[in-house]
Amino acid sequence: MKELPIHIQLHPESSKTLYEQIYEYIREEIKSGSLMQKEKLPSARFLADYLQVSRTTVDMAYGQLVSEGYLEAKPRRGYFVSTYEELSAINQALGQMPGRQDGVKGMSRRGESGTEAEAGRRGTCPGVQGREPQIRYDFSPNAIDMRYFPYATWKKITRNILVDANSKMFSLGEPQGDPELRMTICRYLHGSRGVNCEPEQIIIGAGNDYLLLLLEKILGRHVCVAMENPTYTRAYRIFRSCAYPVRFIPMDESGMRVDCLRRTDAQVAYVMPSHQYPTGVSMPIGRRMELLKWAAEAEERYLIEDDYDSEFRYKGKPLPSLQASDHSGRVVYIGTFSKAIAPAIRISYMVLPYPLLERYRCECGFYASTVSRIDQTILNEFIQDGYFERYLNKMRKRYREKHELILNALRSFERAFDISGSNAGLHVLLADRQGRSEEELADVAAREGVRVYQMQDFRMEESTDAPAMLILGYGALTGEEIREGISILENVWL
């Protein structure tokens, strides 16, 4: 076993926590090839004793590395470096940082010249067909809890802005969005998601729908798009409305299968690597590097990274974005504040790589911004003054409590269902082991006043061997509603 602890130097005075220092050291050792594939790491107990830190600190570092796919945890054997093909070679192939393209170089930072809305943007989830029963408990995966929204703070910021408003506030503004908000988003993304970008690369729009439609103007017509199956059906409808041919790529436990992607004529792949919707799969580093390699192998290949609910992770810190590992300018990063703050906050953002930024300015720079400057200013102050971070921390705690509550309530279901999708997002998945259909399970639940959602509503191509799978969201429900709803499901399903 490699004497790894000898080389780790912890710095208690550092701004980074001890577990982050351990995690980053081991990650860099793996990425550089100093730690080889299948190599066994020291036990958490040994490493904790050697470094004179708590066992919990080491467990958190190892747990984060396992979540990101750098390590594998083998029961009663320990932790081993994961196996994935040619990571060092891939890193070298993608290692050249993207310089600014000639057409963009020298431009100013300002450039030239709850429902089916964003909170419900992950599929239509029609639920039970036919007669609509009276639903008392709706386990929607799209709904969020608005009871803790800081209404007073939002009103105060709005009032102060309108009191101090001048004529500039009511002017049209820049097409890409206000520079102040773009700078704030840039810093937030780098600190929370590891996104590497400049404010000039960010485009602000009223929801992801608008940004995907704008992206169609940037990428061009009739571009073949690959999507995971099952997938976010709203994005699929938007791509189809743009006359894009769509290829559906099967998934495994690591996400989109790149071997199947290579057998298509797709030029763009739409992925959700941090927390795939609706399956809940988190893409490990090996699969991410395979996708980046695929994108770099041909001109005009791009990855669209939809990072829709990365803020809500309950074990370890949020996984780094795919864009953070992109060194060839092939990833278009898209995110929104609608899930983290409120559905009515119709403010999303898109980070364009420099080649596409040049094309945007040439082809689409005349499109006016679709977000009010007043709304942009309110959001900017909400983030800059620390209210967003405090609200996000509060909601993580609330959702974590609900997450633990629903998992505990579902323990009796383990004899009839496989339960997955834990530790992130706002829903869990139940796969039936008794041969029942999704319609049968959803119908019997609806007759008792409980609405659950079927995986088949997100499958673009039918799979005959896929088990019946139900989606249970808990974001908008109270603890008592979760317990009562699960109790009813226990009575009718078990």
Side-chain angles (χ1 to χ4, degrees), residues 86-101:
E86 302 172 341
L87 177 59
S88 297
I90 294 173
N91 282 333
Q92 292 175 6
L94 302 176
Q96 294 183 353
M97 294 297 291
R100 301 184 182 183
Q101 305 301 308

Side-chain angles (χ1 to χ4, degrees), residues 109 174 176-186 199 202:
R109 291 182 182 273
E174 296 187 13
Q176 289 183 228
D178 281 1
E180 294 81 5
L181 179 56
R182 284 189 279 133
M183 174 64 78
T184 298
I185 292 175
C186 182
I202 295 176

Side-chain angles (χ1 to χ4, degrees), residues 197-456:
C197 68
E198 296 291 335
E200 63 186 0
Q201 294 176 259
I202 295 176
I203 298 174
I204 295 170
N208 285 25
D209 293 2
Y210 166 76
L211 294 178
L212 289 175
L213 290 170
L214 184 62
L215 193 57
E216 185 263 343
K217 306 297 182 184
I218 300 170
L219 294 174
R221 289 179 170 271
H222 310 302
V223 173
C224 186
V225 176
M227 301 186 75
E228 298 151 322
N229 188 33
T231 192
Y232 167 34
T233 55
R234 194 173 183 86
Y236 164 69
R237 293 191 182 101
I238 292 172
F239 290 141
R240 291 298 297 158
S241 73
C242 297
Y244 277 0
V246 179
R247 309 288 182 255
F248 297 108
I249 311 299
M251 298 175 58
D252 57 20
E253 66 278 2
S254 296
M256 178 182 283
R257 290 180 50 184
V258 181
D259 59 331
C260 297
L261 175 63
R262 291 184 184 279
R263 293 196 288 270
T264 71
D265 56 347
Q267 299 164 265
V268 174
Y270 174 91
V271 293
M272 294 167 274
S274 293
H275 186 238
Q276 203 273 346
Y277 188 90
T279 65
V281 169
S282 294
M283 187 179 291
I285 184 64
R287 184 60 55 83
R288 295 176 183 226
M289 300 308 291
E290 289 182 62
L291 275 173
L292 290 170
K293 183 180 179 182
W294 170 84
E297 286 174 347
E299 293 295 326
E300 295 300 314
R301 275 188 183 173
Y302 292 97
L303 302 170
I304 302 174
E305 178 181 11
D306 188 342
D307 211 17
Y308 83 103
D309 72 347
S310 60
E311 294 90 354
F312 301 118
R313 181 171 172 79
Y314 313 121
K315 188 175 180 181
K317 63 180 184 179
L319 301 180
S321 65
L322 176 65
Q323 197 269 1
S325 300
D326 175 31
H327 302 303
S328 297
R330 299 302 181 118
V331 176
V332 177
Y333 180 89
I334 294 179
T336 181
F337 289 104
S338 295
K339 193 83 170 182
I341 301 180
I345 309 301
R346 301 292 296 163
I347 301 181
S348 296
Y349 46 85
M350 177 167 62
V351 180
L352 290 177
Y354 277 107
L356 294 184
L357 178 61
E358 177 185 1
R359 198 175 302 170
Y360 161 79
R361 288 176 172 169
C362 294
E363 304 293 335
C364 309
F366 61 90
Y367 283 100
S369 176
T370 53
V371 182
S372 159
R373 297 196 69 195
I374 297 175
D375 291 339
Q376 293 186 59
T377 306
I378 295 171
L379 178 60
N380 185 58
E381 292 202 13
F382 188 72
I383 299 173
Q384 280 194 340
D385 292 346
Y387 297 113
F388 176 57
E389 183 177 3
R390 289 194 288 273
Y391 177 62
L392 203 53
N393 289 335
K394 176 188 290 187
M395 295 313 299
R396 282 196 192 104
K397 179 181 178 182
R398 300 295 182 186
Y399 289 141
R400 183 186 296 111
E401 292 171 351
K402 296 182 183 183
H403 174 76
E404 293 172 354
L405 175 61
I406 194 170
L407 289 181
N408 288 332
L410 289 171
R411 284 181 177 175
S412 61
F413 287 65
E414 292 176 352
R415 65 179 183 269
F417 294 87
D418 292 320
I419 301 172
S420 61
S422 60
N423 295 322
L426 300 178
H427 69 274
V428 295
L429 305 172
L430 274 66
D432 181 64
R433 295 203 301 260
Q434 299 182 348
R436 295 171 289 185
S437 69
E438 293 179 9
E439 293 92 341
E440 175 187 353
L441 292 167
D443 284 347
V444 70
R447 286 196 293 270
E448 298 300 323
V450 180
R451 174 170 292 155
V452 297
Y453 294 79
Q454 303 173 37
M455 181 63 76
Q456 68 181 11

Side-chain angles (χ1 to χ4, degrees), residues 460-476:
M460 298 297 103
E461 294 179 346
E462 290 298 327
S463 176
T464 56
D465 58 348
M469 186 169 289
L470 285 306
I471 303 170
L472 274 65
Y474 52 84

Side-chain angles (χ1 to χ4, degrees), residues 10-75:
L10 299 180
H11 301 282
E13 70 281 0
S14 172
S15 60
K16 295 181 179 178
T17 62
L18 295 177
Y19 107 83
E20 287 178 313
Q21 295 180 50
I22 298 171
Y23 151 75
E24 290 181 357
Y25 174 84
I26 297 175
R27 183 190 64 183
E28 294 307 314
E29 289 289 286
I30 295 172
K31 292 173 70 174
S32 67
S34 298
L35 282 170
M36 305 299 291
Q37 297 179 24
K38 300 183 180 180
E39 186 167 357
K40 191 175 188 299
L41 270 68
S43 69
R45 185 186 304 276
F46 174 84
L47 187 54
D49 289 343
Y50 186 91
L51 296 175
Q52 295 296 294
V53 298
S54 72
R55 171 75 178 274
T56 302
T57 298
V58 178
D59 284 338
M60 289 177 64
Y62 277 177
Q64 184 70 24
L65 291 162
V66 170
S67 298
E68 294 184 17
Y70 289 100
L71 297 182
E72 295 179 19
K74 298 184 179 181

